């Protein structure tokens, strides 16, 4: 009898992590039937049947950042969507051999509702946030449920603290988003003597467009010779000319020009831009984590939200450690960037910190292998 597995996730970064594991599991065991449930967003990362069609809501999953965003989601049909998802899970109760819940308490609760064995991937929880790991009561209950067969943590430190609290089935097997950073061969035409600064404005529109405008203001203020590449999502392409006009730049075929400064933007070279960068200016979540994992120093600019506010940036500094600095305005960031690029000891420390906080590639395969063992054990 064919095994059936359900992947549940709630956010863009969660979808990416979940889908990387899904693909690794498909490669290990092509005969397994797999479905996915993207709780937040459209679930575009998935290339398998969806239990419920995804829907993009105004907050993009960042409800905790603002009560205003919660209200917008409620008006856009959050309650109806959630009830549809729950009803579908109940209709499929007991029909999966295993569920992987990637995210927070919401996806854990949904996995529990299936009545099936499940594994938890705690992408949004880390002991680094508070230098301790105190679980809310609902999360604690769901992780200690007999249905919960494995807990995957996003870093080794969190796994160690989970085990110290009696969650002996907690492990760190890697962070799948690091498996996304591959490219066939270099395509960027770079000046060999100038440091490359990568701009990451985020992926959620219209916020990413506002973020790019703020980053362009920063680029005007940097006083040392550098080269700039922005890694953007395809949906931003039609907005680039308007962004340039609004901030006093010229724009032509993917390149912004202001006096002697050029900023190139590409939507198809994220991995290479990130890999070859000497420093990253980031206003994103998952992409900044990937940059830190590669050993890059990151300068964050506080935006207007809903995602990239000071609250989010400050939490990301605690999560990712010494690799990340947050600046309240472009002038502060412009003064900091030359200092970072000239500090060789700090740049070396960023490489060690990235390995510690985020980890190396290979997590997708390692997690998939553990899932396969759980499925085989159930049989």
């Amino acid at each position: 009898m064919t095994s059936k597995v359900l992947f549940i996730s709630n956010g863009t970064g969660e979808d990416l992590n979940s889908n990387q594991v899904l693909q690794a599991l498909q490669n290990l065991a092509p005969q397994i039937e797999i479905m996915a449930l993207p709780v937040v967003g459209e679930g575009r990362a998935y290339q398998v049947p969806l239990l419920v069609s995804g829907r993009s809501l105004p907050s993009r999953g960042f409800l905790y950042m603002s009560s205003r965003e919660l209200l917008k989601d409620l008006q856009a049909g959050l309650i109806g969507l959630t009830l549809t998802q729950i009803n579908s899970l109940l209709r499929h109760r007991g029909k999966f051999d295993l569920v992987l819940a990637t995210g927070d308490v919401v996806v854990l609760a949904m996995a529990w509702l299936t009545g099936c064995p499940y594994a938890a991937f705690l992408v949004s929880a880390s002991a680094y946030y508070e230098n301790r790991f105190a679980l809310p009561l609902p999360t604690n209950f769901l992780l200690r449920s007999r249905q919960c067969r494995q807990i995957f943590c996003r870093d080794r430190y969190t796994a160690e603290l989970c085990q110290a609290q009696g969650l002996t089935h907690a492990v760190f097997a890697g962070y799948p988003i690091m498996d996304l950073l591959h490219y066939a061969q270099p395509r960027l035409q770079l000046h060999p003597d100038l440091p490359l600064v990568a701009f990451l404005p985020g992926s959620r529109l219209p916020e990413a467009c506002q973020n790019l405008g703020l980053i362009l203001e920063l680029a005007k203020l940097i006083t040392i010779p550098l080269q700039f590449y922005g890694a953007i999502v395809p949906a931003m392409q039609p907005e680039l000319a308007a962004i340039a006009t609004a901030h006093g730049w010229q724009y032509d075929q993917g390149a912004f020009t202001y006096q002697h400064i050029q900023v190139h933007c590409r939507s198809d070279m994220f991995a290479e831009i990130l890999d070859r960068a000497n420093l990253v200016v980031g206003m994103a979540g998952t992409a900044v984590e990937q940059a830190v994992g590669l050993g890059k120093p990151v300068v964050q600019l506080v935006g207007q939200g809903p995602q990239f506010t000071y609250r989010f940036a400050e939490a990301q500094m605690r999560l990712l450690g010494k690799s990340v600095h947050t600046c309240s305005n472009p002038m502060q960031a412009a003064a900091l960037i030359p200092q970072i690029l000239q500090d060789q000891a700090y740049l070396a420390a960023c490489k060690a910190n990235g390995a510690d906080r985020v980890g190396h590639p290979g997590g997708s395969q390692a997690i998939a292998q553990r899932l396969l063992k759980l499925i085989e054990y159930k049989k």
Side-chain angles (χ1 to χ4, degrees):
M1 186 174 179
T2 304
S3 297
K4 296 183 179 181
V5 179
L6 175 66
F7 285 73
I8 309 178
S9 53
N10 64 335
T12 303
E14 287 82 355
D15 291 355
L16 288 173
N17 275 287
S18 184
N19 186 59
Q20 284 296 113
V21 177
L22 186 158
Q23 291 179 355
L25 182 61
Q26 283 181 319
N27 290 335
L28 288 171
Q31 73 280 6
I32 293 177
E33 292 184 16
I34 300 177
M35 298 189 73
L37 175 60
V39 177
V40 174
E42 298 175 18
R44 293 180 181 178
Y46 291 114
Q47 302 298 316
V48 296
L50 301 182
L51 198 65
V52 176
S53 297
R55 187 195 306 175
S56 183
L57 296 174
S59 76
R60 306 297 198 275
F62 288 89
L63 296 177
Y64 66 95
M65 300 301 293
S66 166
S67 57
R68 183 182 302 174
E69 296 303 319
L70 173 58
L71 180 60
K72 289 180 182 178
D73 279 9
L74 290 172
Q75 292 171 338
L78 173 62
I79 293 176
L81 176 62
T82 303
L83 290 175
T84 299
Q85 292 168 344
I86 291 173
N87 285 336
S88 182
L89 289 169
L90 293 176
R91 286 198 305 272
H92 288 81
R93 186 172 174 81
K95 295 181 180 179
F96 296 100
D97 294 279
L98 187 68
V99 178
L100 177 65
T102 303
D104 55 20
V105 66
V106 174
V107 292
L108 288 175
M110 289 187 169
W112 181 79
L113 282 175
T114 66
C116 303
Y118 60 85
F121 187 10
L122 305 180
V123 171
S124 56
S126 173
Y128 281 121
Y129 282 121
E130 304 293 342
N131 202 28
R132 61 189 180 91
F133 199 61
L135 292 167
L137 285 175
T139 306
N140 200 17
F141 167 78
L142 292 166
L143 294 179
R144 295 180 188 277
S145 166
R146 293 181 63 184
Q147 289 173 239
C148 184
R149 305 298 169 81
Q150 185 87 76
I151 302 170
F152 297 105
C153 298
R154 56 171 295 144
D155 53 69
R156 197 175 308 281
Y157 182 42
T158 302
E160 290 171 354
L161 293 191
C162 279
Q163 291 169 2
Q165 295 178 32
L167 295 168
T168 55
H169 51 315
V171 298
F172 171 62
Y175 199 16
I177 57 166
M178 295 308 296
D179 297 327
L180 287 164
L181 301 174
H182 49 78
Y183 55 97
Q185 58 186 10
R187 290 189 292 157
L188 292 178
Q189 302 298 315
L190 299 178
H191 191 294
D193 299 322
L194 293 180
L196 172 62
V197 175
F199 292 154
L200 307 179
S203 60
R204 296 168 175 81
L205 274 63
E207 182 181 359
C209 295
Q210 298 168 355
N211 292 346
L212 181 58
L214 192 62
I215 292 172
L216 290 173
E217 294 299 323
L218 161 63
K220 292 179 184 178
L221 299 173
I222 296 176
T223 57
I224 63 171
L226 298 171
Q227 50 192 332
F228 305 105
Y229 265 87
I232 63 171
V233 293
M236 288 181 67
Q237 292 281 6
E239 312 297 329
L240 296 182
I243 294 170
T245 301
H247 293 273
W249 291 67
Q250 300 296 316
Y251 176 75
D252 182 50
Q253 297 182 349
F256 293 87
T257 304
Y258 177 83
Q259 297 179 2
H260 63 284
I261 307 168
Q262 272 203 331
V263 176
H264 300 272
C265 284
R266 297 295 298 260
S267 61
D268 59 343
M269 300 173 70
F270 171 77
E272 185 182 353
I273 291 172
L274 207 58
D275 180 53
R276 299 182 69 183
N278 298 92
L279 180 144
V280 170
V281 175
M283 301 181 70
T286 301
V288 165
E289 294 177 25
Q290 290 170 304
V292 170
L294 288 176
K296 313 298 179 179
V298 176
V299 173
Q300 299 184 143
L301 275 174
V302 176
Q304 298 176 359
Q307 177 190 356
F308 215 84
T309 60
Y310 177 77
R311 180 181 176 188
F312 185 93
E314 190 273 335
Q316 199 144 258
M317 280 198 302
R318 287 185 277 121
L319 172 66
L320 299 173
K322 66 180 68 175
S323 299
V324 180
H325 301 263
T326 297
C327 296
S328 58
N329 57 69
M331 187 172 295
Q332 183 184 6
L336 178 62
I337 287 172
Q339 297 175 27
I340 291 175
L341 289 172
Q342 294 164 10
D343 190 341
Q344 296 302 316
Y346 172 70
L347 294 176
C350 286
K351 294 185 182 298
N353 183 65
D356 183 46
R357 297 283 177 134
V358 181
H360 301 291
S364 307
Q365 180 82 1
I367 293 173
Q369 288 173 338
R370 286 180 175 269
L371 295 182
L372 192 57
K373 288 181 180 179
L374 292 175
I375 296 167
E376 292 171 348
Y377 177 79
K378 181 179 183 295
K379 290 187 172 183

